[in-house]
Amino acid sequence: MGSQGGFGQSKEFLDLVKSIGESRSKSEEDRIVLSEIETLRRRLSDPDVPKRKIKEYIVRLVYVEMLGHDASFGHIYAVKMTHDDNLLSKRTGYLAVTLFLNEDHDLIILIVNTIQKDLRSDNYLVVCVALNAVCRLINEETIPAVLPQVVELLGHPKEAVRKKAIMALHRFYQKSPSTVSHLVSNFRKKLCDNDPGVMGATLCPLFDLVTTDVNSYKDLVISFVSILKQVAEHRLPKTYDYHQMPAPFIQIKLLKILALLGSGDKQASEKMYTVVGDIFRKCDTTSNIGNAVLYECICCVSCIYPNTKLLEAAAESIAKFLKSDSHNLKYMGIDALGRLIKINLDIAEQHQLAVIDCLEDPDDTLKRKTFELLYKMTKSSNVEVIVDRMIDYMISINDNHYKTEIASRCVELAEQFAPSNQWFIQTMNRVFEHAGDLVNIKVVHNLMRLIAEGFGEDDETADSQLRSSAVESYLRIMSDPKLPSVFLQVICWVLGEYGTADGKYSTSYISGKLCDVAEAYSSDETVKEYAITALMKLHAFEMAAGRKIDMLPECQSLIEELSASHSTELQQRAYELQSLVSLDRRAVESVMPSDASCEDIEVDKELSFLDKHIQEAIERGAQPYIPESERSGSLNISNLSIRDQPEVSTQGLRFEAYELPKPVMQPKPSIPQASSTELVPVPESSYSRESTYAVPVPTVSSSASGSTELKLRLDGVQKKWGRPVYVSSSTPDVPSQNSENGVSRNDVSSILTSRPQPSLDYRKPPVEISSEKQRLAASLFGASSKTEQRTTSTHKAVKSTGQAAEKTQVAKPIDPSTPKAAPVQPPPDLLDLGDPITTSSAPEVDPFKQLDGLLDQSEHASVLSHTVDSSAKLPDIMSLYSGMPSGQTSGTVGSISVNGGHLISPSEVGGTLAPVGTSGPVQFSKGPNLKDALSKDARLSQMGVTPMSQNPNLFKDLLG
Amino acid sequence: MIHFVLLISRQGKVRLTKWYSPYSQKERSKVIRELSGLVLTRGPKLCNFVEWREFKVVYKRYASLYFCMCIDQDDNELEILEIIHHFVEILDRYFGSVCELDLIFNFHKAYYILDEILIAGELQESSKKTVARLIAAQDSLVEAAKEQASSISNIIAQATK
């Protein structure tokens, strides 16, 4: 068939296409199209055009509309054409209407009738085109008009018709599930259709159905598995092969459905293991379609109840994807990794260098995907690096849609994992500065509440520290030009509430700053409202403290200006401030109590203070108040009696409106207003994350005060990472520690042995990796981000060989009294310290504990390991505890790797454990003083430094 | 689900558009403009996926023509890439080594073929042969219609009554 003509188009049409193809500019093209539209309009309105011509004109209209011009005048002709008896014209008409019209178009109503007729046609081709149109054009209202016929067509002898009928029903289901809910059994039946095309099409609606209601389809698991098995075994006709793969599209659909059905269902999942494993093996990894199926397998494996073997296969495939040169495969690999780390966090670690490559790839798509992965694997140890990176990227892009998303992710992560107040405030500042107007206003309110309420703990020092660091940073930032409005609102509020709280800054200094803001952003009323309210608070606090206030001249002029403002809100606030200043001290104190933003405001809903007044009035003969419900009840009764009359004479025509719905007519019993509490429920901190966010104060010296309380309450809280596991906070039980270790060790070791290590080879880092990358890797995947604290970072050492080396090297007992204590090698059985119990067993004040608020499981473990390390060396427990603090003050601490920490979740899940055993000595640079050392240790333990076994020099340094 | 299919030439000219989700004419032009800016500027070695709004766009270039499909976040990109290829293979078989000109002048044919492959944003048929057979059945009607333009319509008219 020739490329030009051959299908009966006229010369005119060919010329049109050609001239548009040759047009040099958009304007030239537009000119041609516009004149074409004119021609078509003229010709189509001519009543004598032959049908064959109209058909071509319609095609030309399609062309014009495709180029983005409006051809709505011709839509009606397309609709008319569907009425034509000639199949060719009909087909063109249907094509045109499906392209022109949306399902909510007014003209649809004119087509429904034709569609109904065509669905009944004897010619299956007519039925097919009609079904095509049904899928595109039938909306919720018109579904009932065609539904019976479509259902009938499910039994049509032609498979093409059955297939399209299925798809049409699927479309109906998407539009309005209720209309086809009684037909669901049809889908089940059609799954057994003897035409594979129909069966394949049936998978689409079944997928949707399973998504909404898994449990009613559990019985189909066996059917799906057997279909998949047959497909994979090449039992379908050869025509369904695609690049030597047996029906890959059907396989993918089936895998998707199985993933849904097996999710969290061990029994169902077990039926799938074999077939999924087979597909893993059979997939041709050289072709794209093979990889598509593989990817779907990985998704399936990560959804269903975990199976060690399948997870290994999945990890292997991911490794192949990530190592591939194709960006597509890398992208899929990153995505798959993100799915798999939900089950086993260690997998990400194995591929850290590949991940970092992707992060620095020039391809934006890949980069974003990698950020998504990082977002999923963030924990308190790497949050700083990840959020910093995210913010940097956020600053560099222009795409507002993505900017909003990444900004909210940054905020979320910061709130969840922030290691310190300072960092948190700084991070929020950066986010607001660069994406302020894109951030959801809720986030802003949350931030304010967070600063006001602290972290729900009873530690005032930490809270006030947070506040003063916020105040300080805001004072620094607020003179920057062009800050987003929401950010300024936060600044004003915080300065008003806490600006003078710690006595560092004078009222006049802060009010000067606030006046500057109000002046600089004079067009932003909300900011001005916040600013003037802040000024009011400042002055009130000042007066309450008994100091005389002398208002700054610029503040005076601001008040004057605002009291003449067009905004009543601003005016009112200005006047309020003015009158507040003239009040006496006690009045001010009760009007504006200091630091009372978190106090509940008590409202007397019953207005009981008016009781006396009412009593007096009633005594004087006033009518008592009748609650509204009673009043309306009596009204309704009178309504009833009125209404009854016309009902008597219902014989004649009635012109009045229909009755109100019944329930209204029944007089309600009066409900006394004694509704519950007298307190207005002040919005509870509905902010769920707050509880997971806690302040670590690495440098707090008064650690004795609240160190034990300061940790994150994990009781009953579901863990963010790993499988859902509940952490119990058992009571400390030192003596039983070893036995517990023994128990869990058994678990772990059994898992360990069950886990082969074929993946080891691609965990070896290439030799020539730049140190920068390694540093990044280290900070992302579990080592310190601070260079001065870092040991040389080849921490992705080959674990199996390294482990042995370590063990032999680190056999020296720790001497806590020596300033340069030797590094600690935890004995092998420490790996199973998956139990946070011992953490709390230390009666000593453990500086780490202050961090516990932030610590996720890994930190618990690292703290724990520390304790147990020492205990292993020093059997005398008492000396252990007395020794510990001094060991820390010396600035040297042995810390187990983060791997040890991760053990917890997998070991409890069972069967998903990655090889463990990286643990060893870590050198810390010594802090200049006790405080520094403590904080550094704390941070390092938090980072979960992965020690290097490939570093003989280091060992020499450490061990002498 | 596939929300729309776009065929754009390297110069940014639209060769075919098929919308499975409702978009107004105005939105359609905007989408096309946005996407051609996004897709045409991408380098050859980068991946064939672009994140766009809350969707993903999978595209593949054949000679001077870009085939784009817009899908949901949780769809399998590689699969979509193969659906594109599946479509191209069928076009190729139908036109006999298809080129851009075939699609320019016979875009309505391409629409008919697409209608047999995708329906309501889902893949309805993965067998090339089945698609080819259906298209051929329709075309044979066209040929017949050409030969006896007057009588065929009567026959069908009778058949449909």
Side-chain angles (χ1 to χ4, degrees):
Chain A
M1 289 169 214
S3 59
Q4 297 192 12
F7 290 109
Q9 296 104 327
S10 70
K11 173 118 189 349
E12 232 177 17
F13 177 60
L14 297 180
D15 285 345
L16 168 72
V17 174
K18 218 183 262 172
S19 62
I20 284 178
E22 285 160 3
S23 64
R24 306 237 160 256
S25 64
K26 183 79 183 133
S27 58
E28 193 183 338
E29 183 188 307
D30 286 351
R31 216 172 41 244
I32 298 169
V33 172
L34 285 177
S35 74
E36 170 72 10
I37 288 177
E38 269 318 300
T39 327
L40 288 174
R41 195 197 297 269
R42 219 175 35 246
R43 300 249 180 102
L44 280 169
S45 57
D46 182 355
D48 298 331
V49 203
K51 272 190 185 154
R52 206 171 52 82
K53 276 278 170 203
I54 295 188
K55 203 178 79 199
E56 193 197 296
Y57 295 150
I58 299 283
V59 173
R60 275 153 77 172
L61 274 178
V62 170
Y63 188 67
V64 165
E65 194 131 291
M66 191 171 80
L67 292 176
H69 291 263
D70 178 50
S72 51
F73 71 89
H75 292 175
I76 187 69
Y77 298 102
V79 172
K80 263 197 225 159
M81 183 149 261
T82 59
H83 304 335
D84 202 299
D85 287 336
N86 184 335
L87 173 59
L88 281 174
S89 306
K90 201 183 265 300
R91 188 165 77 137
T92 315
Y94 273 126
L95 175 69
V97 287
T98 53
L99 291 170
F100 287 152
L101 307 182
N102 276 329
E103 61 207 15
D104 49 356
H105 200 281
D106 296 338
L107 291 175
I108 297 292
I109 205 73
L110 296 176
I111 305 174
V112 174
N113 203 6
T114 325
I115 290 181
Q116 278 181 325
K117 203 181 89 203
D118 290 340
L119 288 178
R120 272 188 235 113
S121 166
D122 293 338
N123 187 338
Y124 80 97
L125 291 174
V126 174
V127 180
C128 278
V129 285
L131 279 172
N132 273 348
V134 165
C135 287
R136 182 76 187 86
L137 297 177
I138 293 296
N139 55 25
E140 218 179 316
E141 287 157 30
T142 40
I143 287 176
V146 294
L147 188 60
Q149 284 154 30
V150 173
V151 174
E152 219 170 279
L153 290 174
L154 287 176
H156 199 276
K158 276 283 179 190
E159 64 279 351
V161 175
R162 294 201 299 270
K163 193 172 61 192
K164 283 184 200 276
I166 285 280
M167 297 307 273
L169 281 182
H170 178 210
R171 189 68 169 177
F172 295 163
Y173 176 77
Q174 286 176 330
K175 292 267 167 254
S176 143
S178 56
T179 50
V180 288
S181 52
H182 59 291
L183 299 168
V184 165
S185 60
N186 283 306
F187 294 131
R188 285 165 175 265
K189 267 185 238 153
K190 283 292 131 188
L191 195 60
C192 313
D193 198 287
N194 47 19
D195 181 72
V198 180
M199 183 273 291
T202 315
L203 297 178
C204 298
L206 279 174
F207 175 76
D208 275 15
L209 287 167
V210 173
T211 314
T212 48
D213 179 16
V214 182
N215 288 328
S216 356
Y217 295 90
K218 293 280 186 196
D219 57 316
L220 284 181
V221 171
I222 300 174
S223 319
F224 287 130
V225 167
S226 86
I227 295 173
L228 183 56
K229 194 157 173 272
Q230 291 175 46
V231 173
E233 283 171 1
H234 237 126
R235 301 263 196 86
L236 288 192
K238 273 262 182 277
T239 52
Y240 284 88
D241 280 10
Y242 181 87
H243 294 202
Q244 282 86 51
M245 282 281 286
F249 298 108
I250 293 177
Q251 286 192 35
I252 288 172
K253 261 265 132 50
L254 281 166
L255 282 168
K256 275 186 179 161
I257 295 174
L258 287 183
L260 290 175
L261 286 171
S263 162
D265 183 343
K266 193 174 178 191
Q267 249 187 329
S269 302
E270 272 166 358
K271 294 175 191 148
M272 308 170 188
Y273 290 153
T274 332
V275 68
V276 177
D278 281 351
I279 295 174
F280 257 123
R281 259 196 316 281
K282 280 183 189 164
C283 264
D284 165 25
T285 52
T286 54
S287 74
N288 196 30
I289 189 70
N291 287 322
V293 177
L294 261 186
Y295 168 78
E296 210 54 62
C297 281
I298 299 172
C299 294
C300 181
V301 165
S302 65
C303 271
I304 62 177
Y305 192 86
N307 171 289
T308 328
K309 264 197 178 151
L310 289 180
L311 284 172
E312 271 163 34
E316 227 171 291
S317 305
I318 289 178
K320 271 185 208 146
F321 282 172
L322 287 174
K323 273 194 299 183
S324 151
D325 285 335
S326 150
H327 272 71
N328 287 348
L329 289 185
K330 276 189 192 165
Y331 178 93
M332 299 314 270
I334 295 279
D335 186 272
L337 200 55
R339 288 167 192 271
L340 219 56
I341 54 168
K342 283 181 204 148
I343 296 177
N344 186 353
L345 207 64
D346 291 344
I347 291 182
E349 232 170 288
Q350 298 165 12
H351 303 297
Q352 46 181 308
L353 290 168
V355 171
I356 286 165
D357 277 340
C358 292
L359 193 62
E360 281 164 5
D361 200 275
D363 188 346
D364 219 41
T365 311
L366 198 53
K367 214 180 232 175
R368 285 184 191 188
K369 197 79 209 173
T370 317
F371 273 117
E372 203 183 307
L373 171 69
L374 292 184
Y375 165 74
K376 284 182 193 158
M377 51 177 262
T378 307
K379 47 195 176 192
S380 45
S381 57
N382 55 18
V383 64
E384 292 176 69
V385 194
I386 289 179
V387 172
D388 274 2
R389 285 244 156 194
M390 279 167 114
I391 294 177
D392 285 343
Y393 181 66
M394 182 187 82
I395 295 169
S396 72
I397 56 172
N398 293 320
D399 175 357
N400 272 357
H401 182 86
Y402 193 68
K403 219 171 184 170
T404 317
E405 193 181 315
I406 202 167
S408 62
R409 280 182 176 177
C410 286
V411 173
E412 186 186 321
L413 292 178
E415 284 171 352
Q416 212 171 352
F417 298 112
S420 71
N421 297 334
Q422 231 98 19
W423 180 86
F424 176 71
I425 296 288
Q426 272 167 17
T427 307
M428 294 306 264
N429 288 352
R430 280 185 77 197
V431 173
F432 278 119
E433 238 178 292
H434 295 286
D437 293 327
L438 299 172
V439 177
N440 190 331
I441 193 76
K442 256 194 188 154
V443 174
V444 178
H445 295 156
N446 281 338
L447 175 63
M448 287 193 248
R449 187 188 291 153
L450 206 69
I451 293 174
E453 291 179 350
F455 304 100
E457 309 284 342
D458 298 327
D459 188 10
E460 270 304 312
T461 9
D463 289 353
S464 57
Q465 263 195 353
L466 171 71
R467 288 169 195 154
S468 35
S469 66
V471 167
E472 238 165 89
S473 70
Y474 289 159
L475 283 174
R476 228 178 7 254
I477 279 178
M478 69 193 299
S479 48
D480 291 357
K482 291 249 173 202
L483 291 175
S485 171
V486 284
F487 189 32
L488 284 164
Q489 290 165 26
V490 177
I491 292 179
C492 289
W493 188 85
V494 170
L495 288 185
E497 201 71 34
Y498 304 111
T500 53
D502 60 354
K504 217 167 161 185
Y505 302 99
S506 71
T507 304
S508 60
Y509 176 73
I510 292 190
S511 40
K513 286 273 191 184
L514 285 169
C515 290
D516 290 347
V517 167
E519 201 183 331
Y521 299 87
S522 55
S523 57
D524 190 336
E525 276 183 11
T526 324
V527 170
K528 279 200 283 189
E529 280 160 20
Y530 270 88
I532 189 132
T533 310
L535 282 173
M536 179 150 50
K537 284 183 203 158
L538 286 174
H539 286 108
F541 300 158
E542 185 81 352
M543 286 167 77
R547 282 187 289 271
K548 198 167 153 17
I549 48 160
D550 31 19
M551 205 175 270
L552 296 174
E554 61 252 47
C555 191
Q556 291 279 15
S557 62
L558 179 73
I559 294 172
E560 270 162 38
E561 182 205 319
L562 293 186
S563 50
S565 164
H566 287 302
S567 154
T568 47
E569 179 74 34
L570 278 174
Q571 243 188 45
Q572 181 176 352
R573 291 187 192 205
Y575 280 119
E576 276 172 7
L577 172 52
Q578 257 173 346
S579 51
L580 182 94
V581 174
S582 59
L583 289 173
D584 70 354
R585 182 180 162 184
R586 282 204 19 229
V588 169
E589 248 172 15
S590 57
V591 172
M592 278 270 165
S594 167
D595 191 15
S597 60
C598 306
E599 310 280 310
D600 293 339
I601 297 171
E602 286 187 29
V603 174
D604 186 356
K605 250 191 179 171
E606 302 281 284
L607 305 178
S608 57
F609 55 89
L610 287 175
D611 282 353
K612 211 176 123 205
H613 179 77
I614 293 169
Q615 203 58 40
E616 278 169 16
I618 290 177
E619 274 163 19
R620 264 185 273 125
Q623 282 286 318
Y625 174 76
I626 305 167
E628 202 169 359
S629 48
E630 280 174 28
R631 253 182 298 165
S632 60
S634 60
L635 269 180
N636 274 346
I637 290 163
S638 58
N639 277 351
L640 262 182
S641 57
I642 297 163
R643 210 197 290 269
D644 281 343
Q645 283 159 356
E647 262 170 18
V648 178
S649 58
T650 38
Q651 262 62 348
L653 268 179
R654 291 176 53 189
F655 292 102
E656 71 278 274
Y658 290 106
E659 292 94 330
L660 288 168
K662 279 271 153 66
V664 185
M665 287 157 56
Q666 286 155 5
K668 274 185 201 158
S670 70
I671 301 155
Q673 285 260 343
S675 54
S676 61
T677 56
E678 283 163 56
L679 283 184
V680 173
V682 172
E684 260 304 308
S685 54
S686 58
Y687 193 42
S688 58
R689 252 184 231 111
E690 218 145 276
S691 60
T692 50
Y693 175 88
V695 224
V697 193
T699 51
V700 173
S701 42
S702 64
S703 51
S705 64
S707 57
T708 39
E709 284 82 26
L710 241 169
K711 81 178 148 195
L712 181 63
R713 288 164 302 183
L714 283 170
D715 330 21
V717 177
Q718 223 171 356
K719 268 176 49 188
K720 174 85 179 163
W721 302 109
R723 307 287 302 176
V725 163
Y726 286 86
V727 182
S728 62
S729 62
S730 322
T731 41
D733 188 4
V734 186
S736 71
Q737 170 189 320
N738 286 332
S739 64
E740 273 172 333
N741 283 344
V743 173
S744 46
R745 180 196 331 151
N746 288 342
D747 294 345
V748 176
S749 56
S750 64
I751 294 156
L752 269 173
T753 47
S754 73
R755 174 148 185 123
Q757 315 214 335
S759 46
L760 270 176
D761 45 352
Y762 43 77
R763 223 179 301 145
K764 255 178 250 177
V767 195
E768 67 284 342
I769 282 148
S770 74
S771 64
E772 176 145 357
K773 245 179 218 175
Q774 284 186 337
R775 204 170 305 139
L776 180 57
S779 49
L780 286 178
F781 293 88
S784 157
S785 64
K786 301 275 187 275
T787 28
E788 75 268 22
Q789 291 173 354
R790 288 184 59 255
T791 48
T792 31
S793 62
T794 45
H795 64 123
K796 241 7 286 147
V798 186
K799 290 177 184 174
S800 53
T801 56
Q803 211 174 338
E806 278 166 39
K807 278 177 203 154
T808 52
Q809 283 187 341
V810 194
K812 293 189 185 175
I814 186 166
D815 183 357
S817 58
T818 324
K820 294 191 177 186
V824 182
Q825 162 63 29
D829 62 331
L830 284 178
L831 293 174
D832 55 11
L833 291 167
D835 207 331
I837 292 166
T838 38
T839 315
S840 40
S841 69
E844 284 297 325
V845 174
D846 187 341
F848 287 142
K849 284 225 191 102
Q850 295 166 9
L851 290 160
D852 279 4
L854 270 189
L855 295 184
D856 58 12
Q857 281 306 82
S858 62
E859 273 72 41
H860 278 288
S862 64
V863 172
L864 173 72
S865 68
H866 177 87
T867 339
V868 184
D869 285 355
S870 321
S871 75
K873 309 301 171 203
L874 301 169
D876 178 359
I877 289 173
M878 282 327 285
S879 71
L880 154 67
Y881 289 124
S882 62
M884 254 184 59
S886 62
Q888 281 151 359
T889 49
S890 72
T892 312
V893 137
S895 169
I896 197 164
S897 77
V898 103
N899 285 9
H902 294 325
L903 275 178
I904 294 156
S905 39
S907 68
E908 274 166 17
V909 176
T912 56
L913 198 55
V916 269
T918 34
S919 44
V922 178
Q923 186 187 24
F924 293 17
S925 61
K926 320 286 179 290
N929 57 33
L930 171 92
K931 228 173 158 186
D932 270 13
L934 269 177
S935 71
K936 255 179 204 166
D937 290 353
R939 185 180 278 125
L940 267 170
S941 88
Q942 206 185 351
M943 294 289 185
V945 177
T946 317
M948 273 51 62
S949 52
Q950 282 191 330
N951 213 334
N953 287 339
L954 173 63
F955 286 104
K956 253 179 241 157
D957 286 351
L958 284 170
L959 300 169
Chain B
M1 169 190 173
I2 298 168
H3 294 280
F4 54 81
V5 179
L6 275 188
L7 264 65
I8 322 174
S9 78
R10 214 177 37 178
Q11 292 81 30
K13 292 206 164 136
V14 183
R15 298 301 181 207
L16 191 137
T17 56
K18 183 87 189 175
W19 308 85
Y20 295 105
S21 295
Y23 287 89
S24 72
Q25 185 70 29
K26 217 171 168 188
E27 285 168 328
R28 290 178 183 186
S29 323
K30 190 162 173 257
V31 167
I32 293 171
R33 222 177 317 122
E34 241 177 78
L35 276 185
S36 44
L38 211 59
V39 167
L40 300 181
T41 50
R42 283 177 67 83
K45 279 198 135 180
L46 306 183
C47 54
N48 294 63
F49 325 125
V50 192
E51 281 177 27
W52 173 76
R53 299 193 191 168
E54 64 268 36
F55 305 110
K56 288 185 291 197
V57 173
V58 177
Y59 69 92
K60 188 156 190 196
R61 185 179 162 177
Y62 290 90
S64 55
L65 209 54
Y66 285 85
F67 289 67
C68 311
M69 288 190 185
C70 174
I71 52 170
D72 285 324
Q73 278 294 342
D74 48 356
D75 282 329
N76 181 340
E77 292 91 341
L78 289 179
E79 183 197 4
I80 302 296
L81 216 49
E82 289 312 296
I83 291 180
I84 292 178
H85 192 70
H86 181 57
F87 178 38
V88 172
E89 279 183 359
I90 292 172
L91 286 176
D92 201 56
R93 192 180 280 195
Y94 181 77
F95 287 104
S97 92
V98 67
C99 68
E100 197 182 338
L101 278 179
D102 291 323
L103 297 182
I104 293 174
F105 287 102
N106 298 299
F107 61 91
H108 53 298
K109 298 275 160 197
Y111 275 123
Y112 292 135
I113 294 172
L114 190 59
D115 274 346
E116 295 306 324
I117 299 171
L118 297 178
I119 196 166
E122 304 277 358
L123 182 73
Q124 62 162 324
E125 185 55 74
S126 57
S127 155
K128 271 171 265 188
K129 208 169 174 185
T130 313
V131 174
R133 222 174 22 226
L134 265 174
I135 297 287
Q138 294 175 14
D139 279 348
S140 67
L141 265 176
V142 179
E143 297 300 322
K146 259 195 218 155
E147 282 162 22
Q148 28 184 305
S150 57
S151 64
I152 187 94
S153 65
N154 292 336
I155 295 169
I156 293 173
Q158 280 162 3
T160 49
K161 260 164 201 165

